Amino acid sequence: AQSVAQPEDQVNVAEGNPLTVKCTYSVSGNPYLFWYVQYPNRGLQFLLKYITGDNLVKGSYGFEAEFNKSQTSFHLKKPSALVSDSALYFCAVRDMYSWGKLQFGAGTQVVVTP
Amino acid sequence: EAGVTQFPSHSVIEKGQTVTLRCDPISGHDNLYWYRRVMGKEIKFLLHFVKESKQDESGMPNNRFLAERTGGTYSTLKVQPAELEDSGVYFCASSQDQIKRDHNEQFFGPGTRLTVL
C-alpha cells in the first residue's frame, strides 16, 4: 500500500529565508510524486512532479523538489520565501501500478512572515 | 481555458438528508476523480472515472455514496442518507487521456464544503 507522510503540521519562515516542506513516502515499485498547493478558498494547484530522470525537479512559482530514493523523500524547497507563499501544501504519491489514484499527505501549513 | 468547477461551494444539511454534488471537468479530459478531506486530515481518494466508466471505486466509503458520470462529461456524487462523518471538503479533479500512462497531473476544482448537522 502506498502512503505519504508530511511530518510538520506547520512551517514558519521569515520572508526572504529558505523554505523547506518535508515529505516522505512509501510505495511499491517506482514512485510518481507530486506537490500541490492550496490557497484559501481555492482548489489545489499543481506545483511540480517527479516521474523519472533528474532528481531535482523545478516547478511553478520558483519551487523545486529533490527526489531522494534512498531516503524515500521528496522535500519541497524554495530559496527565498515570499509572504504570498503562505498556503497549505500537499505532497502526493502514485505507484506505478495505479492508473491515476493519488495518495496525499495530511498537508503542511506554511506561514511566511514579513 | 476554464478549470474544473464544482457546485455548490458549500452545503449544510441535516443528518438523514440527501445531497448531490456536481463536478464539471476541464473540457476534453477523460479522467475524472473524486477525493475527500475530512477534518483537516489527508485528502483521500474516492473514485476514478474514465469517460463514463468507473475505473476504480475502491475509495468509496459505503453504499450511501453514489457517483455517476453520464455521457462522460460532468459527474455527480450523491450522499443518501448523509451522516455526521460525511462532513468534509469534496474535491473533484480531472486529467487528460492516460492511455500512454504519461502521468499527467490532475487539475483540481475548488471543492465543495459539506457540513452535516
Side-chain angles (χ1 to χ4, degrees), chain A residues 32 34 36 38 41-46 49 51 88 90 94 96-107, chain B residues 31 33 35 37 40-43 45 48 50 55-56 58 91 98-99 101-110:
Chain A
Y32 303 132
F34 302 80
Y36 285 83
Q38 185 182 21
N41 301 315
R42 303 285 296 277
L44 279 73
Q45 294 181 30
F46 169 77
K49 66 182 176 184
I51 304 300
L88 187 56
F90 291 95
R94 209 188 92 208
M96 58 190 295
Y97 307 108
S98 301
W99 188 312
K101 168 182 174 181
L102 291 175
Q103 177 74 41
F104 283 89
Chain B
N31 297 281
Y33 306 85
Y35 294 87
R37 188 175 192 226
K41 296 186 178 179
E42 69 268 23
I43 299 169
F45 168 83
H48 170 204
V50 178
Q55 171 69 24
D56 181 354
S58 61
F91 292 102
Q98 292 190 4
I99 289 179
R101 303 270 177 124
D102 60 353
H103 317 297
N104 287 324
E105 59 270 23
Q106 297 174 22
F107 294 86
F108 282 76

Side-chain angles (χ1 to χ4, degrees), chain B residues 61-81:
Chain B
N62 51 61
N63 59 10
R64 295 186 293 103
F65 288 74
L66 175 64
E68 295 180 323
R69 192 182 182 194
T70 306
T73 55
Y74 73 91
S75 174
T76 58
L77 179 65
K78 179 189 287 187
V79 185
Q80 179 182 28

Side-chain angles (χ1 to χ4, degrees), chain A residues 14-25:
Chain A
E15 187 174 33
N17 283 359
L19 169 63
T20 298
V21 186
K22 296 179 180 178
C23 171
T24 58
Y25 66 88

